[in-house]
Amino acid sequence: MTRWKITIEYEGTNYSGWQRQDNVPSIQEEIQKAIYKFCQQKILVTGASRTDSGVHAYAQVAHFDLDYGDRPLNGFDLMKALNAHLRPQPISIIHAKEVDEDFHARFSAHEKLYTYRIINRNSFLTLEQKRAWLVMNDLDVEAMKEASSILVGEHDFNSFRAAECQAKSSIRSIDDIRLEVNNIGTVGGREILMHVEGQAFLHHMVRNIMGTLVMVGQGKLNKQDVADILDAKDRAAAGVTAPPDGLYLVKIDY
């Protein structure tokens, strides 16, 4: 029995998220189907992060155990085989390697990086539909940066988690939040990126933070309001939940 670590890129628009659910397509289920087509074994694939419906990934990580007998198999050949069975879906295994049996995609992770993308302009999206959040109001990014600093460190993030979140504790630590602004062409508006790093996140936590910071950028909230929202430990106190379209799982460190 060999434990394999795979790194996966996907466009999550038409999937119910990472985790398998009955009667709806999921990333986990599609990879498990590809493994079955490859070796006729029903194998559970364990992911590092349960990304929500519509969320994308540049580098989701998962592991599974495979008994391939005495036949030789390396990571490159496994990657090619699985990708052959995943086509033409927007799911790609970009790396595969053999790991120790104590490696766990979720519990061995030390740090995760999520990026949220906003397109800030007055015209509708064409190329970026379902891949970014369109915000037409002009946003004060400096105010958003100031307010985001309140959230760095270990806090009770109960105000920023979904009502259906099943985590036993809402205490989490954000190691860094950075906002980046890029111009799109000469008249195409701005791309605003929020990069958030931490070991673990609550359900909808990044999206709820982004929704709250957008309200800061619109002048509806200020830095002190964000501090008060954090202290309230009440989801009703925070801003809107940003749509899944703009959220990307970028990197996981082990």
Side-chain angles (χ1 to χ4, degrees), residues 173-240:
S173 181
I174 290 181
D175 298 326
D176 189 31
I177 297 184
R178 291 174 288 111
L179 276 86
E180 173 187 351
V181 181
N182 301 309
N183 290 327
I184 302 173
T186 55
V187 292
R190 301 184 297 171
E191 175 191 56
I192 301 170
L193 304 175
M194 180 182 72
H195 308 291
V196 184
E197 294 183 74
Q199 184 175 9
F201 297 89
L202 300 164
H203 191 197
H204 287 179
M205 179 174 161
V206 176
R207 291 167 58 190
N208 290 336
I209 288 172
M210 187 76 265
T212 300
L213 291 181
V214 162
M215 293 181 71
V216 173
Q218 294 169 334
K220 298 175 181 178
L221 297 172
N222 58 38
K223 183 177 180 179
Q224 183 57 51
D225 291 328
V226 174
D228 293 342
I229 289 168
L230 188 64
D231 290 340
K233 302 178 181 63
D234 180 1
R235 174 67 190 98
V240 299

Side-chain angles (χ1 to χ4, degrees), residues 50-151:
R50 296 177 181 178
T51 54
D52 292 335
S53 175
V55 173
H56 318 297
Y58 287 113
Q60 167 75 286
V61 174
H63 79 263
F64 60 90
D65 296 323
L66 173 65
D67 183 356
Y68 203 58
D70 296 329
R71 293 167 291 176
L73 180 66
N74 60 45
F76 182 73
D77 289 339
L78 176 62
M79 177 188 73
K80 288 198 303 179
L82 296 184
N83 282 337
H85 294 297
L86 285 166
R87 295 192 190 100
Q89 299 182 91
I91 304 171
S92 180
I93 311 300
I94 59 176
H95 190 256
K97 64 179 286 189
E98 185 176 339
V99 290
D100 294 336
E101 63 180 13
D102 61 350
F103 173 84
H104 194 285
R106 182 181 176 190
F107 298 124
S108 299
H110 295 305
E111 189 92 340
K112 296 176 184 177
L113 169 62
Y114 282 92
T115 293
Y116 196 97
R117 298 183 65 224
I118 287 173
I119 303 298
N120 190 205
R121 72 183 194 188
N122 291 320
S123 52
F124 292 107
L125 300 182
T126 54
L127 298 177
E128 299 290 356
Q129 282 190 53
K130 299 298 182 181
R131 297 183 181 181
W133 181 15
L134 173 65
V135 178
M136 292 188 173
N137 316 78
D138 190 39
L139 296 175
D140 183 343
V141 178
E142 290 305 313
M144 294 168 68
K145 289 179 180 179
E146 281 283 316
S148 71
S149 66
I150 294 290
L151 304 173

